[in-house]
Amino acid sequence: MKLDKISIDGKKDTIEVLDKIFSAKINQKLVASVLYKTNANYKGRHAKTKQQNEVKGPTSKIYAQKGTGGARHASRKAPIFVGGGIAHGPKGELAYKKRKLNKNEKKQSVASLITEKNNNKNLLILNDFNSEIKKTKEMNSIINKLEISNSLIILDKNSKEKIEKSVRNIPNVKVTDVNHFSAYDIIKFKKVVFTESSVKELEKRYS
């Protein structure tokens, strides 16, 4: 299929793209599953407290079971003592299951979301950036002109080197490449922007 391609100056042209990426079958159930797994794996669960069996110290009984007049106790590592283990505390990242995502799931979910963006007129393909843009102000005016103020911009390597610094401080715009974006990124931003070369790089990964 053919899609419109636009230059920074506003000149329009067309580009041939793969149907299985830009006109794929939209699988909402798969997308929901991928987003759930991605979000679950992103959660930082680094907090960790020592359980009773992890605290260093003797395991011997602190005094006799009977005859002391006090309550019965085991070792000083019990949660009720200062320096003992923590009862029901956070158990760290290893206690949680990592939800696996296979390559096919990732590809199909990304194709579904890109197709949806295309159907809703929220997909834009630009010519490659051949000249360096150093000023954030200049890049901001280009973004406003192209109406991509809330967008995920997926660039080829050469274009990324040319504009990455100038776009870095612009809010609600994320610059990345073909190897470092996910279905979650596509959902997060209203529009998705590719360059001509980044489209070709994406198609290579799907071929």
Side-chain angles (χ1 to χ4, degrees):
M1 67 179 292
K2 287 188 176 182
L3 290 179
D4 288 337
K5 179 183 68 171
I6 192 169
S7 67
I8 298 173
D9 304 326
K11 294 178 182 178
K12 287 190 176 181
D13 199 353
T14 58
I15 180 174
E16 191 74 33
V17 295
L18 283 179
D19 285 6
K20 67 178 180 180
I21 302 175
F22 295 89
S23 184
K25 181 181 177 182
I26 299 173
N27 189 338
Q28 296 288 6
K29 191 174 180 180
L30 174 66
V31 170
S33 173
V34 169
L35 289 174
Y36 172 75
K37 290 177 182 178
T38 304
N39 193 38
N41 290 340
Y42 273 165
K43 287 181 180 177
R45 294 185 172 109
H46 303 297
K48 169 89 172 67
T49 54
K50 288 185 178 181
Q51 313 299 307
Q52 185 172 341
N53 63 324
E54 296 172 310
V55 176
K56 284 186 178 179
T59 57
S60 58
K61 197 168 174 63
I62 58 174
Y63 50 69
Q65 175 87 346
K66 297 179 181 293
T68 63
R72 55 192 174 186
H73 289 295
S75 73
R76 285 279 177 189
K77 299 202 294 181
I80 63 170
F81 293 117
V82 174
I86 301 297
H88 313 299
K91 296 180 181 179
E93 197 173 15
L94 295 177
Y96 295 89
K97 185 175 83 173
K98 283 282 184 183
R99 301 178 191 278
K100 291 184 180 178
L101 270 172
N102 63 48
K103 288 182 181 179
N104 202 35
E105 278 183 316
K106 290 179 184 177
K107 287 181 178 180
Q108 286 184 21
S109 64
V110 166
S112 288
L113 290 169
I114 289 175
T115 299
E116 191 172 39
K117 292 288 186 187
N118 185 32
N119 292 345
N120 295 333
K121 308 295 183 186
N122 286 326
L123 179 74
L124 190 68
I125 299 176
L126 300 175
N127 282 336
D128 295 351
F129 289 88
N130 294 319
S131 55
E132 188 176 6
I133 299 172
K134 293 182 179 179
K135 299 284 186 181
T136 301
K137 186 177 180 181
E138 184 184 350
M139 191 66 215
N140 196 39
S141 66
I142 292 169
I143 285 171
N144 290 331
K145 181 182 174 183
L146 296 171
E147 297 180 348
I148 51 171
S149 56
N150 185 342
S151 61
L152 173 69
I153 304 176
I154 302 167
L155 300 169
D156 57 281
K157 185 181 177 182
N158 188 49
S159 295
K160 192 176 180 184
E161 289 174 355
K162 295 283 192 297
I163 72 164
E164 187 177 21
K165 288 182 180 177
S166 63
V167 80
R168 189 182 292 163
N169 292 326
I170 299 175
N172 300 320
V173 175
K174 180 178 179 178
V175 173
T176 185
D177 55 51
V178 172
N179 299 315
H180 297 97
F181 76 94
S182 66
Y184 184 81
D185 291 322
I186 300 174
I187 285 281
K188 185 179 177 181
F189 296 93
K190 183 180 178 182
K191 295 193 175 183
V192 175
V193 180
F194 286 95
T195 57
E196 185 177 1
S197 293
S198 68
V199 168
K200 299 303 177 188
E201 287 175 11
L202 186 67
E203 288 177 344
K204 279 183 184 177
R205 294 190 67 184
Y206 279 69
S207 59

